[in-house]
């Protein structure tokens, strides 16, 4: 997966703006500063959704600018936005190094438990970042998933492996415990994304269920894959 992402980045036009979010139990929004001695990131809890206004305040993105002004600041290396979204031509080596260093989530997983995976909040942070910086501009969110969301809004199963994933029979009989809340969360995200001009893609890398039934509106409503 790392190699595929790095290859894809190398094929993008040099002025394409890119950012990086990684998540497990927590969410990390990475600063993209090729001159940084130590890589930095903003860390968010995966158990609670983050409102757009709150995200703007935390990331200091409250200043009102047009997409054209944002792009000029990017090219001149100015503004707080450049901490998170940079032209690939400026940071390709740095971003490639960040991707190389991504490891399996360090939070311990107890026996007979699933890993914490806060997919719903991670996607919300990605939507919020693009809404705050480049609203009504064409953009894509590429999400790479290794399993179902098990934590926070959008969860489709809890971490206890004694509880199995819902089946089609459970969904049909309205017996899927987390389905309705998860569907509502992802539908709200899909509306936000479509309104702001984003497409959301979902890449699934496991044979187990990942909650695509709950998440499908993210693709179908935004033109994603």
């Amino acid at each position: 997966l790392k190699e595929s992402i790095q290859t894809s980045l190398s094929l993008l036009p040099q002025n394409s703006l890119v950012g990086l979010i990684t998540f497990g139990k927590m969410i990390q929004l990475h600063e993209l500063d090729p001159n940084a001695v130590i890589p930095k990131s903003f860390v968010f809890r995966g158990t609670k959704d983050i409102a757009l206004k709150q995200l703007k305040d935390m990331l200091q993105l409250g200043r009102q600018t047009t997409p054209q002004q944002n792009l000029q600041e990017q090219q001149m290396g100015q503004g707080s936005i450049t901490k998170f979204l940079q032209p690939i031509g400026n940071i390709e080596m740095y971003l490639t190094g960040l991707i190389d260093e991504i490891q399996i989530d360090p939070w311990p997983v107890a026996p007979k438990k699933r890993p914490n995976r806060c997919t719903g909040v991670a996607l919300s942070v990605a939507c919020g970042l693009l809404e705050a910086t480049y609203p009504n501009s064409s953009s894509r969110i590429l999400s790479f998933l290794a399993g179902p969301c098990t934590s926070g809004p959008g969860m489709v199963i809890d971490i206890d492996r004694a509880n199995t994933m819902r089946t089609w029979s459970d969904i049909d009989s309205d017996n899927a415990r987390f389905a309705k809340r998860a569907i509502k969360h992802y539908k709200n995200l899909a509306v936000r994304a479509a309104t702001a001009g984003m497409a959301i893609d979902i890449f699934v890398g496991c044979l187990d269920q990942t909650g695509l039934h709950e998440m499908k509106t993210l693709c179908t409503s935004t033109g994603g894959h």
Side-chain angles (χ1 to χ4, degrees), residues 86-152:
Q86 285 264 25
I88 186 64
N90 295 354
I91 49 110
E92 185 171 356
M93 287 185 64
Y94 180 76
L95 183 56
T96 298
L98 279 181
I99 293 171
D100 270 331
E101 293 171 6
I102 293 174
Q103 302 294 324
I104 292 174
D105 191 11
W107 288 87
V109 179
K112 298 183 181 180
K113 301 293 182 183
R114 295 182 177 87
N116 281 281
R117 188 179 291 106
C118 54
T119 310
V121 183
L123 288 169
S124 181
V125 170
C127 284
L129 176 64
L130 291 172
E131 284 175 315
T133 52
Y134 293 93
N136 305 316
S137 302
S138 298
S139 56
R140 298 196 84 89
I141 296 172
L142 280 69
S143 52
F144 303 94
L145 311 181
C149 180
T150 59
S151 175

Side-chain angles (χ1 to χ4, degrees), residues 1 5 18-24 26-32 40-44 50 55 59 83-85 95 98-99 102-103 118-131 140-145 198:
L1 175 59
I5 294 173
V18 296
L20 178 66
I21 295 174
T22 55
F23 63 96
M26 313 287 276
I27 299 138
Q28 286 183 277
L29 172 58
H30 296 267
E31 289 190 10
L32 302 179
K40 297 178 182 179
S41 61
F42 278 69
V43 180
F44 304 92
I50 299 162
L55 186 70
L59 302 181
K83 292 191 297 186
F84 310 110
L85 297 169
L95 183 56
L98 279 181
I99 293 171
I102 293 174
Q103 302 294 324
C118 54
T119 310
V121 183
L123 288 169
S124 181
V125 170
C127 284
L129 176 64
L130 291 172
E131 284 175 315
R140 298 196 84 89
I141 296 172
L142 280 69
S143 52
F144 303 94
L145 311 181
M198 306 172 211

Side-chain angles (χ1 to χ4, degrees), residues 14 80 115:
Q14 292 294 288
S80 59

